[in-house]
Amino acid sequence: QKEVEQNSGPLSVPEGAIASLNCTYSDRGSQSFFWYRQYSGKSPELIMFIYSNGDKEDGRFTAQLNKASQYVSLLIRDSQPSDSATYLCAVKEGDYKLSFGAGTTVTVRA
Amino acid sequence: DVKVTQSSRYLVKRTGEKVFLECVQDMDHENMFWYRQDPGLGLRLIYFSYDVKMKEKGDIPEGYSVSREKKERFSLILESASTNQTSMYLCASSFASSGFQETQYFGPGTRLLVL
C-alpha cells in the first residue's frame, strides 16, 4: 500500500483565520489527489480534487499540489465553526483504489 | 446526486456470529469498495469489486469475504465475528473511468459492535 501522511492535529484556529492542512505521499507516479471532509460520526464527503501542479480554488477552499515534492495541501480561508471536522487526504492508485491518510482534525474556535 | 446506502447504521453481534453488511448504490457505478475506519488508523480497504461477480482483496481482507451478484449491490460478510472486528464499516462506489477526477462516494457507514 502506498503511504499517505498527514499531521493528525488537532489543528485549532480562530474563526476567520486560515487553516492549512498538509499531506505527503510516497508514490511519485500518483496523478490524482482528493480532499474529503468527515464530520464526527458521519461518512467522508468530497471537498475537491486536484491533478495539476499549482493551486485550485473552490470557494473558501484552495488545494495546492507540488508533484516534485510529493506534497498536497488544503487551505481553508475565513474558517467557520462549521469547518470543524476531520480532513482526509486521498491519493488515487491505478484505476480503482484510493489510499487515505489518517486525517487531520480541525477545530475552529468561535 | 450519488446515493450510497447501507443496510444498518448500528449493529450489535456476538462473537462467532456470521454478519452481513449490505451496500446499495443507485448511480450505475462499476466499482464498489468496503473499508473499515478505526481511530488513528484511518480508512483501510478490505475488498473492492470492479464488476459483477469480480472481487479483489484490499489491504486487510482476513476474516472477511464479499459478494457482488448485482451491479448495484455489494455485500461484506464476516464469517465468524470477533471482537477485533468492532469498527465503523464504510461502503463506497465510483465509476470505472480512469479519469483523474473520478473519485469515490461513501455511504453513511455501519457501526458494528462485536461482544
Side-chain angles (χ1 to χ4, degrees), chain B residues 63-76:
Chain B
Y64 302 95
S65 62
V66 290
S67 171
R68 192 164 181 203
E69 297 296 319
K70 293 185 178 181
K71 189 175 185 180
E72 67 272 17
R73 190 179 297 269
F74 191 34
S75 301
L76 179 69

Side-chain angles (χ1 to χ4, degrees), chain A residues 62-97:
Chain A
T62 299
Q64 299 174 316
L65 175 61
N66 184 326
K67 290 184 182 179
S69 300
Q70 295 175 237
Y71 174 95
V72 58
S73 65
L74 180 71
L75 301 177
I76 308 172
R77 291 186 304 281
D78 187 24
S79 295
Q80 302 296 308
S82 59
D83 295 326
S84 297
T86 297
Y87 291 81
L88 304 174
C89 173
V91 178
K92 196 166 186 181
E93 289 182 38
D95 290 340
Y96 308 116
K97 295 172 62 176

Side-chain angles (χ1 to χ4, degrees), chain A residues 1 31-34 36 38 41-46 49 51 88 92 95-98 100-102, chain B residues 9 31 33 35 37 40 42-43 45 48 50 59 90 97-104 106-108:
Chain A
Q1 183 188 5
Q31 297 291 326
S32 303
F33 309 87
F34 304 86
Y36 285 82
Q38 187 174 24
K42 301 294 186 182
S43 59
E45 55 179 335
L46 180 69
F49 65 89
Y51 54 83
L88 304 174
K92 196 166 186 181
D95 290 340
Y96 308 116
K97 295 172 62 176
L98 292 178
F100 286 85
Chain B
R9 294 300 305 273
N31 305 326
F33 307 82
Y35 295 88
Q37 186 175 33
L43 282 158
L45 181 64
F48 70 99
Y50 54 87
D59 302 311
L90 289 160
S97 166
S98 59
F100 292 145
Q101 73 278 15
E102 292 301 339
T103 189
Q104 295 175 20
F106 285 85

